[in-house]
Amino acid sequence: MSLIDTPLARATSASAGGRGSTVRAMEIGQHVMTLLLVGIGIVRAIGQDTAPAAAIAAGLGIIAAHTVASLLPKKRRTTTNYALWLIGFTAVWIAAVAVSPEFVWVSFVLWILAGHLLPLLAGLAFSVFVLAVVIVAPILHPHGATSYASVFGPLIGGVFAFGISRGYLKLLRDAAERERLVTSLTRAQEEMAALQGELALAQRHSGAIAERTRISRDIHDTIAQALSSIRLLTHAGADNTADPDAIRTLGQVESLASDSLSDVRRIVAALAPHELEDGALTAALNRMLARLHDETGLAVALHVDDTIPLLPTDVEVALLRTAQSALANVRLHARATRVVMSLIDAGDTVRLDITDDGHGFDVIAWENSVDTHSSSYGIRFMRARLRELGGGLDVESATGEGTALSMHIPIAAAATREAAAAPPAGLPAADAADVSATQPSADDSHHGSGTTPAEENKK
C-alpha cells in the first residue's frame, strides 16, 4: 500500500492488484511535482535575496519530509499514520515559508494530500488553513506586499487541487468496487462450474433411484403377484383332486412358483432404494466436505438422520447449492478450524445445518447493512433460493463465536411440485392390493403355515 492508495486500505487485496500500475504512476507523479515545486521555490528564493544555504536547506527539508511517507514500514502505513505525517509535513513547510515566501508553491501538494488523506470537512478546514498561510506569508516578510492576484490565484489553484484530489479518490474507489464485484462474480462462476459436476451426479443418482423404484414396483405388482396366484391355484388344485399324477405335477408347479417368487422378492429387495445415507445428496455433501478438508485442513463432520426420506430432486439441488455457497464462505471468511454439517428430518421439513468455529460476525449489523461484499451477496442469494421452494435460511452468529446456518425446505410442497411436473403414469391393477414394494407379499408369509387356500386368497 502506498501513499496514493492509503484511503483504500479496506479494499480487498484482489482489487489492489489490478490498480497497481496506476497507483505507482500517481505516486511517482506526486514526487516529481513536489521536486519541481521545491526547485522553483529555491530558485525564486535565491532570486529574492534569500541566503542560498538557507533556501537550499529549506527546500531539502521539504523533500525529506515528503519522502518519509514512502519509507514507513508496511505495518504502519495506515490512514491515521499518514494523517499524522501530513501534519508534520505541513509544519516543515511552514518553517520553509518562514525562510522564504517563495515556498508557498508547495501548497498545491498540501491541497492534493488534504483531499486524498483527510475526510471532507477536515480536508476543507486544513485547505483553508494552508490558504491563509499562503496569503499571509508574503505580507509578514520584510518588504512584503500582497495583491488580488496573490489572493485569488492561490484560492483558485487550491480549489482545483483539492477538487481534483477528491475526484481522483472517488474514481479510485469506484474502480476498486468494480474490481471487487468482478472478483466476486468470477469466484461465483468458478463455484458454479465446480458445482455442475456435483449436480449432474446427484441428478443421475436420483434418476437411477427413481427408475429402480419403478422397476421394483412393477415387478412386485405383476410378476410377483402372478407367481403368487399360480402357487395358490396349484395348491388349491392339489387339494381338490385325487389323481396322484396330477397331485405330483401340481406340487412341482407350486414348488417352482414358490422358488421363482423367492427370486423375485430378492430382486425387488435389491432394486428398492436404500436409506438416504447411500443417496445422491449425502454422497455429494460428503465429497464437498472431503474436498474442503483436503484443500484447507479443516476438521469436517457430516451427520444424517436415519429417518430422512427420499427427497425430491429440486430439494436436493437447492440444499446442495446452498451448502456449496456456505462452505465457500467458510473457506474465504470464517478462519475456522472445524465445520459440522447435519441433515435433519424435521417431520414435514428437511433441514441442513452448517456450523463453524470461526470468528463470526454481527448478524444484526449485517441484516441492516447494504454491504456489497461477496459473502453478503452469497448469504442473501442462498436465502432467496430457498424461499423459491417455500423454505428459508436462519443465521446465528456473533463476533468471535462462530457461525451457524440453518436451511429448511418443506418436503410435502416439493413433492407436490415434482408430482405435478412429472407426466401421469398408469399403475398396474395389482396396486389395489396396497402392498409395499420393499416388503414380501402377505400371502408369501403364510406359505406352509397350514392356512387354507381360501384364507390365503382373502389375504
Side-chain angles (χ1 to χ4, degrees):
M1 182 176 66
S2 69
L3 175 63
I4 299 299
D5 68 341
T6 296
L8 303 180
R10 295 191 181 100
T12 61
S13 59
S15 62
R19 64 176 189 275
S21 58
T22 302
V23 168
R24 186 61 179 167
M26 292 294 296
E27 187 178 19
I28 293 174
Q30 180 181 286
H31 286 290
V32 171
M33 181 176 65
T34 302
L35 290 173
L36 180 61
L37 293 176
V38 170
I40 292 174
I42 292 174
V43 172
R44 289 180 62 87
I46 294 175
Q48 295 294 329
D49 297 329
T50 301
I56 293 174
L60 293 178
I62 293 175
I63 294 173
H66 185 269
T67 306
V68 167
S70 300
L71 301 179
L72 284 174
K74 289 186 177 181
K75 63 180 180 180
R76 299 186 61 184
R77 294 184 182 183
T78 63
T79 303
T80 301
N81 286 341
Y82 274 127
L84 295 175
W85 162 81
L86 179 59
I87 295 174
F89 179 51
T90 304
V92 173
W93 170 72
I94 292 175
V97 170
V99 174
S100 173
E102 298 300 331
F103 287 108
V104 296
W105 291 89
V106 183
S107 60
F108 288 100
V109 176
L110 292 172
W111 283 319
I112 291 175
L113 292 173
H116 197 69
L117 295 177
L118 301 178
L120 180 60
L121 294 180
L124 289 173
F126 180 84
S127 299
V128 170
F129 170 76
V130 172
L131 179 62
V133 174
V134 170
I135 295 174
V136 173
I139 301 175
L140 297 180
H141 273 265
H143 310 293
T146 188
S147 63
Y148 288 112
S150 61
V151 174
F152 289 103
L155 176 61
I156 295 173
V159 169
F160 272 94
F162 186 82
I164 289 173
S165 179
R166 297 296 298 186
Y168 161 74
L169 184 60
K170 182 65 168 61
L171 291 174
L172 200 60
R173 282 176 172 159
D174 288 345
E177 181 64 20
R178 284 194 298 272
E179 290 181 17
R180 183 162 52 242
L181 291 175
V182 170
T183 301
S184 175
L185 291 174
T186 301
R187 184 165 56 247
Q189 186 178 25
E190 292 173 351
E191 292 173 0
M192 289 298 296
L195 188 59
Q196 290 304 316
E198 298 288 352
L199 292 177
L201 182 60
Q203 291 171 349
R204 285 197 299 270
H205 200 156
S206 297
I209 290 175
E211 183 65 12
R212 286 161 62 109
T213 302
R214 185 190 66 80
I215 293 174
S216 67
R217 183 184 296 116
D218 288 347
I219 292 175
H220 178 272
D221 293 340
T222 55
I223 300 175
Q225 297 301 325
L227 289 172
S228 179
S229 298
I230 292 172
R231 186 171 62 86
L232 291 174
L233 290 173
T234 54
H235 186 82
D239 290 343
N240 295 326
T241 184
D243 185 352
D245 293 335
I247 292 175
R248 185 171 58 255
T249 301
L250 292 174
Q252 292 174 349
V253 173
E254 182 182 2
S255 177
L256 182 60
S258 297
D259 293 342
S260 299
L261 187 58
S262 297
D263 290 338
V264 168
R265 288 170 51 192
R266 177 179 51 80
I267 295 172
V268 168
L271 286 174
H274 300 290
E275 295 296 328
L276 185 65
E277 63 210 23
D278 295 324
L281 177 60
T282 307
L285 295 177
N286 264 320
R287 285 192 296 272
M288 285 195 298
L289 288 174
R291 184 164 59 246
L292 179 68
H293 172 73
D294 293 340
E295 294 177 356
T296 65
L298 290 177
V300 297
L302 175 64
H303 306 297
V304 179
D305 281 356
D306 294 335
T307 57
I308 288 288
L310 184 63
L311 300 175
T313 301
D314 58 349
V315 173
E316 289 191 337
V317 170
L319 292 177
L320 189 61
R321 286 180 182 271
T322 50
Q324 179 81 11
S325 297
L327 292 182
N329 282 345
V330 172
R331 180 197 301 263
L332 296 173
H333 309 290
R335 300 177 188 171
T337 60
R338 178 176 173 81
V339 178
V340 178
M341 188 179 295
S342 302
L343 191 61
I344 301 170
D345 179 8
D348 294 335
T349 301
V350 62
R351 197 171 81 239
L352 179 63
D353 294 344
I354 301 177
T355 60
D356 67 71
D357 61 352
H359 59 64
F361 62 95
D362 188 339
V363 176
I364 297 177
W366 170 79
E367 292 282 3
N368 296 329
S369 72
V370 290
D371 194 5
T372 56
H373 285 81
S374 60
S375 59
S376 175
Y377 276 138
I379 296 177
R380 287 182 168 88
F381 286 162
M382 283 188 275
R383 179 170 287 169
R385 179 181 295 120
L386 294 171
R387 283 177 178 171
E388 291 177 358
L389 299 178
L393 173 66
D394 299 325
V395 182
E396 295 182 6
S397 184
T399 304
E401 298 183 7
T403 301
L405 301 181
S406 182
M407 314 157 196
H408 53 89
I409 301 177
I411 302 175
T416 302
R417 285 192 304 273
E418 189 170 83
L427 292 176
D431 273 347
D434 193 23
V435 182
S436 170
T438 60
Q439 299 294 330
S441 302
D443 50 0
D444 296 337
S445 62
H446 293 277
H447 180 62
S449 63
T451 56
T452 65
E455 290 174 335
E456 291 193 290
N457 278 327
K458 289 179 182 179
K459 298 179 182 180

